[in-house]
Amino acid sequence: MALLQDMLRQLPSAVLALQAIRDPEGTILDYQTTYYNDAALTLLGYTPEQLKRQLLFQHSPHLRELTDRLSQVANQQETLDFPYFLPAQNQWFELGIRPVSNGFFISFQPIRTPSQPVQQVPTHRQAILETDRQQQLLLHTAFTASPVGITVEQAIRDAMGNITDFQAILINPVALAMGGHTEQEVLTQTISQLNPLFESSGLLAAYRAVINTGQPFQIDFQQPHTNRYLELTVSPVDADTLIAVFTDITQRRKAQLDLKQQNDLFKGVMETSLNGITIYEAVRDEQGQIVDFQYIAINEAGLAQSPLTRAEIEAKGTILGLHPQTKEAGLFKEYIAVCETGDPFRKVLFYPIFNRWYDVAVSKHADGIIVTYNDVTASKQASAYIEKQAFLFDGVLLNMKGGLSVLEVLRDDAGELADLRYVRVSHDVLKDTGLTESQLVGSTMLTHFPSVKQTHYWTAYRETLRTGQPQRFEIHYQGEGIDNHLENCVSCISDTLIISSYTIVSEQKKALQQVEKLVVELRESNQSLEQFAYIASHDLQEPTRKVQMFGKVMLDQYATALPPEARDIIQRMMSGADRMQSLIRELLGFSRLSSDQEPFKLIHLNQIISDVLGDLELVIQEKQAQISVSGLPALSGNATQLRQLFQNLLTNALKFSRKGIPPIISVTALSVRPSQLPASLTHKQTTSWAAVAIQDNGIGFDQKHSERIFHLFQRLHSRNQYSGTGLGLAICKKVAENHGGLITAMSQINPEAGEWGSCFTVFLPVLAGETGKPLLP
């Protein structure tokens, strides 16, 4: 081969040797340069690297117009001679193309044009003769040094002129080695003698057909004694001679098998991969530069992730047709770099046309690229959400009031709680402990606060890990220079994470203790005031009774002796004493509401109302009042106080009736939930409540006085209009509060006929199961 290459390089005319590049089906795709001489390099203007690296149609795309003629030489072993205009030289050349196994030689002989001096260029015929001489020499040398086996065989005919056998008349060394015979044996024996299967295998008939029809034939077969695959190409030379070329295709067969296995594997990967896969081939311009990538194939996973159909993808055809934005985004340069250098590329990219995120990997494949991609929009959105939540969590930790720690659970060999490691902490934790974030996060709790293990903290941590339930508690922590009252909440996120939060309530604790002290002092003061009010009220009754008694004696015994003015004064004095006695009596009753500590017992309100209506029977008859009672519950309370409450409310309803209109009064009770109670009723732990309403059709009052009427000595009318001390509703308010309840009032002034005037509602806790049950027939 080195000798052949040297000869080619020394020839005066340009010579190339090329080998066909075929697909698995045998179709010629292009040609690879295997030999060249210096004249060819000069003529074509290429470097040796370009000829070796690029295929024929890549470095000389203008030769594609000869595709069919070149295939005819390589496939049918025909020779061609014809003039051809070479654009690079702007000159005509005589091309001599001669077949060789799986390829051909090309020689370029310049043809003189009229612009060239005759004496400088040989005649056209001389050029052809010189070319033939050189070709003969070349072919002889190629025959001897050829890497393929070549035999020239002559037909043996019988007396009738029929071909009965063939005999080799020329054989090269490679063919001798393939056959395993000596040159003497080959040149003195027939083919049937050398190969007993020559006739039975059908080769003799095939050889006859080549001579008779002039058509070459080709066959692949396995050589038994060497276990190698050979390709036999038989072509006619003349009416009795043919040439047989034996090419060792064992490596090609193996490569084809490997390629088939790779294709099958690749096809399997394409079809079973969960990732989208698209294959592209480089599209190059005349200078060999990549200008686009042609779509070749896409798998089902790729179609599933694309909003385009296969037909739409095939119609757009190229990367820039499918994704024009890749050029502006700079991705197209990355794809070119992968194809040219072979270095893979991977990146998570956003495709606005699809409004999706893809994890894209690009790798080289032949003269193209394979793009593997996976839709990661969901994970990208999840990551963004997690980042947002982390940002919000950091914001909460930075700005929240109170301490919060995320703690990792550390267990001993028995699985018990051994320690807790700080994972995240709020700003207040750092401020309250005096530690920095780098000092605290990553370290353990017992390292900084060993006293924790002897406090309720440790019990709470273990309990929440055991039950999964949050633990709320208050603790006075003293240790490691800390002395604080804290309200705490401990809850577990998982078996390995705990959240512990706290609020320092030391100031509130001190304030509460101060309030409790003040409450005790106030209670003692109230008791003294109540005792004073009771004594004062009791002692004031005696002088008042004496004033009334002496005034009555004076009127009874001395009325005739007194002038009218004196009698009027005495009557006014007695009236004032009577009012004072009523006021003292009411004050005494009010003071007893605070001092009366009688235990509560079961009270049926229907019985209380019944007793009150009995006491008011004369007034009810006098005013022709209509009173209805329904749905009253049972509750725990003080019967005397509750009687005072409802007697005052019913007395007011009768007292403040409209002239000439009989009073209509209703007493009803409804069950209410804690959420329906007035906001001012602060303690709502009791789940069963009753709203007892006393509603009338009286004169009413302005709603703006609904709070004022429950204060001591508050009156909305003069004594000349309506009698009273101004203590009745204050007593009602006190009784309701003593029973853990509340009283409210709704009213309107001078309602129209048929409308309600005032409604007083008493909210009282009741016995479970008794709310709303009518206890009166």
Side-chain angles (χ1 to χ4, degrees):
M1 288 303 170
L3 177 60
L4 178 60
Q5 189 172 13
D6 289 339
M7 289 178 61
L8 287 169
R9 287 177 177 171
Q10 293 170 11
L11 287 174
S13 60
V15 178
L16 292 176
L18 299 105
Q19 186 177 18
I21 304 297
R22 303 174 185 268
D23 64 15
E25 286 72 31
T27 302
I28 296 175
L29 302 176
D30 209 335
Y31 299 88
Q32 178 70 54
T33 303
T34 56
Y35 303 106
Y36 56 88
N37 65 355
D38 295 335
L41 294 177
T42 303
L43 176 67
L44 299 176
Y46 294 115
T47 64
E49 290 72 20
Q50 287 177 304
L51 287 178
K52 290 180 180 180
R53 183 169 61 87
Q54 295 183 339
L55 301 179
L56 177 62
F57 294 150
Q58 289 179 331
H59 64 67
S60 300
H62 55 276
L63 292 178
R64 285 187 180 274
E65 63 186 46
L66 301 177
T67 297
D68 293 339
R69 306 179 87 178
L70 295 178
S71 297
Q72 190 174 359
V73 174
N75 290 332
Q76 300 179 15
Q77 299 293 295
E78 296 184 359
T79 62
L80 288 175
D81 295 289
F82 57 89
Y84 185 79
F85 182 75
L86 193 63
Q89 299 295 329
N90 194 28
Q91 186 176 358
W92 285 91
F93 288 82
E94 181 75 19
L95 265 63
I97 303 178
R98 300 293 182 267
V100 70
S101 177
N102 196 38
F104 47 79
F105 287 97
I106 303 179
S107 64
F108 298 79
Q109 183 64 42
I111 300 175
R112 182 180 65 83
T113 64
S115 62
Q116 295 175 308
V118 175
Q119 63 273 17
Q120 295 180 359
V121 180
T123 65
H124 178 60
R125 183 60 183 166
Q126 290 173 330
I128 294 176
L129 291 175
E130 178 64 20
T131 300
D132 286 343
R133 187 185 69 78
Q134 293 174 354
Q135 294 296 335
Q136 293 295 329
L137 179 61
L138 174 65
L139 290 174
H140 175 75
T141 305
F143 180 81
T144 304
S146 174
V148 299
I150 304 174
T151 62
V152 178
E153 302 174 14
Q154 193 169 38
I156 300 175
R157 298 178 183 270
D158 59 14
M160 302 297 295
N162 297 319
I163 297 175
T164 59
D165 209 339
F166 283 84
Q167 185 170 3
I169 60 174
L170 189 63
I171 186 169
N172 73 346
V174 175
L176 283 174
M178 287 181 176
H181 301 289
T182 66
E183 185 175 7
Q184 178 67 24
E185 291 172 335
V186 170
L187 298 178
T188 58
Q189 298 182 30
T190 67
I191 301 300
S192 296
Q193 291 173 332
L194 296 172
N195 180 9
L197 301 177
F198 183 57
E199 182 174 5
S200 61
S201 66
L203 283 176
L204 176 57
Y207 276 38
R208 285 195 192 107
V210 172
I211 294 295
N212 294 332
T213 65
Q215 298 296 320
F217 90 95
Q218 187 178 76
I219 188 173
D220 296 348
F221 65 93
Q222 187 176 16
Q223 195 176 36
H225 66 277
T226 62
N227 197 29
R228 300 184 70 80
Y229 287 91
L230 300 178
E231 178 186 81
L232 171 62
T233 302
V234 182
S235 303
V237 176
D238 54 32
D240 279 318
T241 310
L242 54 76
I243 183 168
V245 179
F246 298 87
T247 305
D248 188 339
I249 60 171
T250 303
Q251 291 300 321
R252 188 200 304 173
R253 272 294 187 94
K254 184 176 183 302
Q256 289 175 343
L257 180 60
D258 291 343
L259 180 60
K260 182 179 182 304
Q261 291 175 342
Q262 290 176 6
N263 288 339
D264 291 343
L265 177 61
F266 184 69
K267 186 180 293 184
V269 170
M270 285 278 287
E271 295 307 318
T272 60
S273 174
L274 297 178
N275 293 329
I277 301 174
T278 306
I279 303 174
Y280 297 95
E281 183 181 19
V283 177
R284 300 178 182 269
D285 59 15
E286 292 183 356
Q287 288 72 41
Q289 302 300 314
I290 297 176
V291 294
D292 207 341
F293 289 90
Q294 177 67 44
Y295 161 80
I296 301 298
I298 186 172
N299 68 346
E300 292 300 323
L303 283 176
Q305 296 185 53
S306 173
L308 303 176
T309 64
R310 188 184 295 275
E312 290 172 328
I313 293 174
E314 291 174 350
K316 292 180 181 294
T318 65
I319 280 185
L320 294 182
L322 291 165
H323 311 295
Q325 74 279 3
T326 57
K327 201 160 190 176
E328 291 76 10
L331 296 175
F332 192 71
K333 291 182 179 179
E334 300 280 1
Y335 296 160
I336 293 176
V338 171
C339 188
E340 296 289 10
T341 67
D343 296 332
F345 162 80
R346 182 171 183 176
K347 198 170 185 179
V348 176
L349 303 170
F350 179 72
Y351 285 78
I353 189 173
F354 303 143
N355 194 30
R356 309 291 292 174
W357 286 91
Y358 292 91
D359 181 3
V360 180
V362 184
S363 59
K364 180 177 175 60
H365 173 68
D367 190 31
I369 57 175
I370 296 178
V371 181
T372 305
Y373 47 93
N374 189 32
D375 189 337
V376 294
T377 304
S379 61
K380 192 74 175 177
Q381 291 172 342
S383 298
Y385 177 77
I386 291 171
E387 290 176 2
K388 180 180 178 181
Q389 294 302 309
F391 178 77
L392 292 175
F393 184 63
D394 288 341
V396 169
L397 289 181
L398 181 63
N399 296 288
M400 71 177 296
K401 298 300 180 183
L404 185 144
S405 302
V406 180
L407 304 165
E408 179 187 359
V409 177
L410 304 178
R411 301 179 185 271
D412 57 21
D413 294 340
E416 297 296 328
L417 176 63
D419 207 339
L420 294 161
R421 180 182 288 115
Y422 289 96
V423 178
R424 302 290 293 277
V425 294
S426 68
H427 177 73
D428 277 6
V429 172
L430 302 177
K431 182 184 70 174
D432 296 337
T433 61
L435 299 172
T436 65
E437 186 173 8
S438 61
Q439 289 175 319
L440 198 56
V441 173
S443 65
T444 65
M445 181 177 289
L446 296 183
T447 300
H448 297 286
F449 311 107
S451 302
V452 166
K453 202 166 185 178
Q454 283 72 48
T455 68
H456 187 69
Y457 273 119
W458 206 253
T459 303
Y461 294 146
R462 296 176 63 180
E463 189 65 16
T464 194
L465 286 172
R466 185 183 69 82
T467 65
Q469 298 299 315
Q471 304 293 311
R472 299 180 184 275
F473 57 95
E474 184 179 317
I475 193 172
H476 183 195
Y477 187 85
Q478 294 175 298
E480 294 78 46
I482 299 173
D483 185 1
N484 281 322
H485 289 272
L486 305 115
E487 289 182 352
N488 301 274
C489 179
V490 175
S491 59
C492 62
I493 302 174
S494 64
D495 291 341
T496 59
L497 287 177
I498 284 178
I499 288 182
S500 179
S501 61
Y502 68 84
T503 302
I504 297 176
V505 294
S506 298
E507 294 300 322
Q508 295 91 316
K509 196 74 175 176
K510 291 178 182 177
L512 182 60
Q513 292 172 348
Q514 186 66 26
V515 168
E516 290 175 350
K517 179 180 178 183
L518 291 174
V519 168
V520 171
E521 294 175 353
L522 183 60
R523 186 179 296 115
E524 292 175 352
S525 175
N526 285 342
Q527 288 176 351
S528 298
L529 288 173
E530 289 169 1
Q531 186 177 11
F532 170 77
Y534 178 78
I535 294 172
S537 300
H538 185 273
D539 291 346
L540 284 173
Q541 288 190 74
E542 183 60 28
T544 305
R545 282 198 300 270
K546 288 183 177 180
V547 170
Q548 289 177 314
M549 183 184 65
F550 290 142
K552 187 176 183 303
V553 171
M554 289 182 68
L555 288 177
D556 289 344
Q557 295 183 10
Y558 307 106
T560 55
L562 294 173
E565 294 82 0
R567 289 196 300 272
D568 183 61
I569 290 172
I570 293 173
Q571 287 175 347
R572 287 174 179 271
M573 177 186 67
M574 291 178 64
S575 176
D578 185 60
R579 288 197 306 273
M580 180 169 288
Q581 190 173 38
S582 297
L583 180 59
I584 292 170
R585 188 165 48 249
E586 294 288 347
L587 281 171
L588 184 59
F590 186 81
S591 66
R592 286 173 176 169
L593 292 176
S594 297
S595 60
D596 188 358
Q597 301 297 326
E598 181 181 343
F600 284 7
K601 60 182 179 180
L602 179 63
I603 304 296
H604 292 276
L605 288 186
N606 64 329
Q607 184 61 51
I608 295 293
I609 299 298
S610 180
D611 292 344
V612 170
L613 293 178
D615 292 343
L616 299 175
E617 184 176 2
L618 292 177
V619 181
I620 293 171
Q621 291 177 358
E622 179 184 339
K623 293 201 171 191
Q624 299 179 349
Q626 300 177 27
I627 301 177
S628 61
V629 181
S630 63
L632 300 184
L635 51 82
S636 179
N638 184 302
T640 302
Q641 292 185 18
L642 291 173
R643 183 166 179 168
Q644 282 182 282
L645 167 66
F646 290 106
Q647 183 155 351
N648 284 338
L649 293 176
L650 288 170
T651 298
N652 283 351
L654 292 168
K655 180 195 299 185
F656 297 107
S657 61
R658 288 181 285 180
K659 292 182 179 181
I661 300 176
I664 299 176
I665 303 169
S666 70
V667 183
T668 58
L670 292 175
S671 175
V672 293
R673 296 187 299 273
S675 60
Q676 297 173 302
L677 297 173
S680 56
L681 195 57
T682 55
H683 73 289
K684 302 178 182 180
Q685 292 86 349
T686 304
T687 57
S688 297
W689 289 79
V692 182
I694 294 87
Q695 200 168 20
D696 62 56
N697 64 341
I699 62 174
F701 58 87
D702 194 329
Q703 183 63 29
K704 69 180 181 180
H705 300 305
S706 60
E707 296 291 336
R708 173 189 166 197
I709 59 175
F710 293 107
H711 297 169
L712 289 171
F713 306 116
Q714 295 299 314
R715 298 172 56 88
L716 300 182
H717 307 280
S718 67
R719 292 188 183 91
N720 294 331
Q721 293 176 294
Y722 296 96
S723 62
T725 62
L727 289 172
L729 290 178
I731 291 173
C732 292
K733 180 174 181 286
K734 186 65 175 177
V735 171
E737 291 173 349
N738 284 352
H739 285 75
L742 180 72
I743 185 170
T744 63
M746 295 289 293
S747 186
Q748 58 180 337
I749 300 174
N750 298 320
E752 298 292 334
E755 294 183 351
W756 293 103
S758 299
C759 178
F760 289 85
T761 304
V762 185
F763 294 91
L764 296 170
V766 300
L767 299 177
E770 295 294 336
T771 304
K773 288 187 177 180
L775 302 180
L776 289 178

